[in-house]
Amino acid sequence: MPLPRARQIVLAASQRHRLKKLAYSRTAPYQQVVRVRIVLDAARGYSNARIAVRQEVHIDTVRTWRGRYADQGIDGLTDRPRSGRPPRFTPAQRAEVKALACQLPAETGVPLSRWSSSELAAEVTGRGIITAISASTVRRILAAAVLKPWQHQSWVFIRDPDFAIKAARVLDLYQRVWDGHLLGDDEYVISSDEKTSIQARCRCHPTLPPGRARMMRVNHEYDRGGSLAYLAAYDVHRARVFGQCAAKTGIVPFMTLVEQVMTTEPYASAKRVFWVVDNGSSHRGKAACDRLAARFPNAVMVHTPVHASWLNQVVRHEVACEEWNMPKEVA
C-alpha cells in the first residue's frame, strides 16, 4: 500500500512575508508560532519527518497543520471550536449572581458593608437561585462581567460657601500670582500638612536579600514602636521638602516646622512666604494667621476651602510617594 504523500505548500510573496512575521513574533501564542514554522518548512520542501525533528514535535502534528493550511490557508492554523463540558449554570443564573452582587448587603438584610465571594455564594444558594456554587466560581462570574460591584468611589460635598474664592487664591499661588500680580523671585509658596498615625515598626528579624531561585524574604513579625505624626512643608515651585516627626499634631509641632523653614535661606530673607494650609486645628482661622505673622512678619497664611485639602500640593506629594512606594525626602 503506497504511503500518503505530503501536501505541497506553495506560498506567494505576501503570504510568505505574513507567515515570517508571525514565526518570529514575540507576542503571538507559542502554538501559533510553531504551526506557522511548520508551514514555512513545508514550503521550503522539507519532508514531514524532517520538519518534526526541526520543530521538535510529533510527525502527526506536522501532518495535521500542513494539511489544514493546504486546505484552508492561514485560517486553518487556528483551533477549531470544541464542545467542552456543558455549562453548569444558565445565563439567567449567572445574571442573578451579578444582580445580587450589585445590591448593597443591607438591602437584603445581611449585616455586611460589602459582599465577599463566600457570602455571595451562601446568599445565592440560600435563595435557591443555584443549588450549589463555590466562592471561586462566584469570583469567575463577576470577573467576566463588565460591572465591577466591588469597586467604589467616595466623595464629599463642598460645604464652604466661599469655595470658589478660596480655591482661586490657592490655584493662583501655584501659578505664582497673588492679587492679580506675579510673584517676584524673592517670594515663595509653601504647602504644609500633617500626616497622623504613622506606625513606627521594627522587624523582629532582618530582611534577607534575594538569591539564586529565591526571592527576597521579609519577616512577618514586627515590634510596634507607637505612632507618630509626620509634618511636611513643600516648596511648590522648587520641589524642596522639609519634614519632621512629632508625637502628636498641634500648634507647637506646626510652629516648630515653620521655624525650621523660616530660619533657612532663602525663606528667612524672602520678601514674602505664602503658607498654604488646610483647616486643621493647629492652624485654623484668623488666630493662626495672626500667630504666624507675629512670629514671622514675612509669612502669609492661606487656607484651602473646607473639605478641600486635596488642593494642597503637599498632599498630592504624599499620595504619589505612597502609590509608588517611595520615601518622602526630608531636608
Side-chain angles (χ1 to χ4, degrees):
M1 181 177 179
L3 294 174
R5 297 185 63 183
R7 304 290 297 275
Q8 295 299 315
I9 303 294
V10 179
L11 300 176
S14 59
Q15 293 173 324
R16 187 180 299 275
H17 176 74
R18 183 179 180 184
L19 292 175
K20 281 187 175 181
K21 189 175 181 180
L22 283 171
Y24 296 100
S25 173
R26 295 180 178 272
T27 57
Y30 178 71
Q31 288 181 331
Q32 185 181 24
V33 171
V34 172
R35 296 167 189 175
V36 168
R37 290 178 178 177
I38 290 173
V39 174
L40 288 172
D41 282 351
R44 297 186 182 102
Y46 293 140
S47 66
N48 288 345
R50 187 173 179 186
I51 295 174
V53 174
R54 282 172 54 85
Q55 303 302 331
E56 299 181 349
V57 295
H58 197 275
I59 191 171
D60 290 340
T61 302
V62 177
R63 291 194 185 102
T64 297
W65 298 112
R66 185 172 188 163
R68 288 195 189 178
Y69 185 86
D71 293 335
Q72 305 174 34
I74 196 168
D75 293 336
L77 300 183
T78 59
D79 291 325
R80 292 174 178 173
R82 301 179 181 179
S83 59
R85 187 179 69 179
R88 293 181 55 194
F89 309 115
T90 65
Q93 289 174 322
R94 290 174 174 269
E96 290 197 56
V97 171
K98 298 173 187 176
L100 180 61
C102 290
Q103 296 181 23
L104 295 176
E107 297 176 359
T108 63
V110 179
L112 296 171
S113 60
R114 296 178 64 185
W115 288 112
S116 66
S117 298
S118 57
E119 293 289 348
L120 272 174
E123 186 70 16
V124 167
T125 55
R127 293 188 177 198
I129 298 174
I130 296 174
T131 305
I133 186 172
S134 65
S136 58
T137 302
V138 170
R139 282 195 294 271
R140 286 194 294 270
I141 292 174
L142 296 180
V146 177
L147 296 173
K148 305 298 181 185
W150 57 87
Q151 297 179 354
H152 69 279
Q153 286 184 324
S154 61
W155 77 95
V156 61
F157 289 106
I158 298 174
R159 296 187 298 177
D160 196 323
D162 300 322
F163 176 86
I165 298 174
K166 294 180 179 178
R169 287 196 306 169
V170 173
L171 295 176
D172 282 348
L173 281 175
Y174 296 157
Q175 297 295 322
R176 298 193 58 79
V177 175
W178 179 252
D179 287 341
H181 301 285
L182 289 174
L183 299 184
D185 293 338
D186 57 346
E187 294 178 296
Y188 303 89
V189 179
I190 301 291
S191 287
S192 178
D193 192 35
E194 300 102 341
K195 192 170 183 64
T196 60
S197 300
I198 297 178
Q199 292 289 330
R201 299 180 298 188
C202 179
R203 298 286 175 183
C204 296
H205 300 281
T207 299
L208 300 178
R212 180 178 298 177
R214 186 193 72 197
M215 64 181 65
M216 181 174 66
R217 297 180 179 179
V218 179
N219 180 248
H220 178 72
E221 296 179 304
Y222 54 82
D223 292 325
R224 293 182 181 272
S227 61
L228 295 172
Y230 178 75
L231 292 84
Y234 177 58
D235 188 326
V236 174
H237 301 111
R238 290 163 179 78
R240 186 179 182 185
V241 180
F242 295 83
Q244 62 168 306
C245 292
K248 59 181 181 179
T249 60
I251 295 175
V252 173
F254 175 73
M255 292 304 295
T256 302
L257 176 67
V258 173
E259 187 93 19
Q260 177 184 353
V261 176
M262 298 301 294
T263 56
T264 304
E265 293 295 344
Y267 314 102
S269 57
K271 178 182 177 180
R272 282 185 300 187
V273 179
F274 295 90
W275 282 76
V276 180
V277 297
D278 59 18
N279 294 273
S281 59
S282 57
H283 38 65
R284 181 189 301 158
K286 187 176 182 302
C289 297
D290 295 340
R291 183 167 54 247
L292 179 65
R295 179 66 184 87
F296 298 100
N298 62 337
V300 180
M301 183 174 288
V302 181
H303 289 93
T304 61
V306 177
H307 289 313
S309 59
W310 40 269
L311 282 172
N312 199 331
Q313 283 294 309
V314 73
V315 175
R316 306 308 309 154
H317 178 72
E318 291 175 353
V319 170
C321 288
E322 292 171 356
E323 290 177 349
W324 291 93
N325 197 24
M326 295 168 56
K328 302 179 183 67
E329 178 189 356
V330 179

